[in-house]
C-alpha cells in the first residue's frame, strides 16, 4: 500500500481553501495538507524558514498553486522554484480561476506540470480537486529525494 504524502496548498481565498480541503479529505488523498496563504508563505514553507522553520523534513508530493495572490503571486513562486536546483523537480499544479491566456502561457513557460481552472460549480470543483489529488498524490511517482 502506498503511503499518503503531504500536499502544499497555496491559496489566499478562504472559501477555496475550505473547498479544496473538504475535497481532499473526502477522498483521503493526503496525510497532511499544509496551507500557505500567499507566495511568501509558500517559499517560507519550502525553504523551512519563518513560521515553518521547524516543519517536518521533506517536501510535499505536489504543490497546488493559485496565481492571483497578495505579496507574491503564483507565477513568481513558480519562477523561483524552477530556478532552484533543489526545488525544480517538485510537481506544481496551477489550481486557479484564471482563464487568461497570458497566465496559462507563462505557467507552462516557467515549467508548471499542470494547469487546472477551478470550476465555479461546487460539485465540479470537488471532482477536479479529487482528480488532481488522485493523480499527483497517489498515482504519480515523484522524483527521488534525500533531503528537504
Amino acid at each position: 500500500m502506498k503511503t499518503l504524502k503531504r500536499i502544499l496548498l497555496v491559496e489566499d481565498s478562504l472559501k477555496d481553501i475550505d473547498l479544496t480541503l473538504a475535497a481532499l479529505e473526502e477522498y483521503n488523498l493526503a496525510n497532511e495538507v499544509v496551507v500557505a496563504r500567499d507566495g511568501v508563505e509558500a517559499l517560507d514553507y519550502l525553504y523551512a524558514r519563518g513560521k515553518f522553520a521547524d516543519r517536518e523534513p521533506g517536501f510535499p508530493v505536489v504543490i497546488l498553486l493559485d496565481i492571483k495572490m497578495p505579496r507574491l503571486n503564483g507565477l513568481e513562486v513558480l519562477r523561483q522554484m524552477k530556478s532552484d536546483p533543489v526545488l525544480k523537480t517538485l510537481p506544481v499544479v496551477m489550481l486557479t480561476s484564471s482563464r487568461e491566456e497570458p497566465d496559462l502561457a507563462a505557467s507552462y513557460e516557467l515549467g508548471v506540470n499542470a494547469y487546472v481552472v477551478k470550476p465555479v460549480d461546487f460539485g465540479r470543483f470537488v471532482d477536479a480537486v479529487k482528480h488532481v489529488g488522485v493523480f499527483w498524490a497517489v498515482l504519480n511517482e515523484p522524483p527521488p529525494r534525500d533531503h528537504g
Side-chain angles (χ1 to χ4, degrees):
M1 183 175 145
K2 190 170 190 117
T3 304
L4 295 174
K5 308 286 183 171
R6 192 175 333 148
I7 293 174
L8 176 59
L9 172 61
V10 187
E11 174 63 66
D12 63 318
S13 163
L14 285 174
K15 177 183 160 206
D16 287 352
I17 290 169
D18 289 344
L19 290 175
T20 303
L21 292 175
L24 293 170
E25 185 177 298
E26 181 176 340
Y27 294 98
N28 299 314
L29 293 176
N31 282 342
E32 178 184 10
V33 179
V34 176
V35 177
R37 296 294 308 276
D38 60 41
V40 172
E41 280 191 15
L43 292 175
D44 283 352
Y45 177 82
L46 293 169
Y47 288 111
R49 63 189 185 204
K51 74 179 189 178
F52 298 108
D54 54 357
R55 71 167 171 82
E56 290 290 319
F59 290 105
V61 69
V62 66
I63 298 160
L64 305 178
L65 182 60
D66 190 18
I67 290 180
K68 310 285 190 203
M69 294 182 296
R71 296 203 300 166
L72 190 67
N73 71 40
L75 293 173
E76 286 303 316
V77 172
L78 184 62
R79 182 185 324 279
Q80 289 188 38
M81 286 182 62
K82 296 304 181 178
S83 68
D84 184 314
V86 175
L87 302 178
K88 71 180 181 181
T89 60
L90 289 177
V92 178
V93 175
M94 286 297 188
L95 184 60
T96 180
S97 54
S98 176
R99 293 184 179 275
E100 297 173 26
E101 191 170 313
D103 288 340
L104 178 66
S107 295
Y108 278 110
E109 285 170 16
L110 292 169
V112 78
N113 297 90
Y115 192 100
V116 177
V117 176
K118 299 175 197 171
V120 175
D121 175 74
F122 171 75
R124 289 186 178 162
F125 182 89
V126 169
D127 199 43
V129 170
K130 176 189 80 166
H131 286 16
V132 166
V134 165
F135 180 79
W136 290 104
V138 178
L139 299 175
N140 185 59
E141 288 293 330
R145 295 210 166 267
D146 296 328
H147 53 289

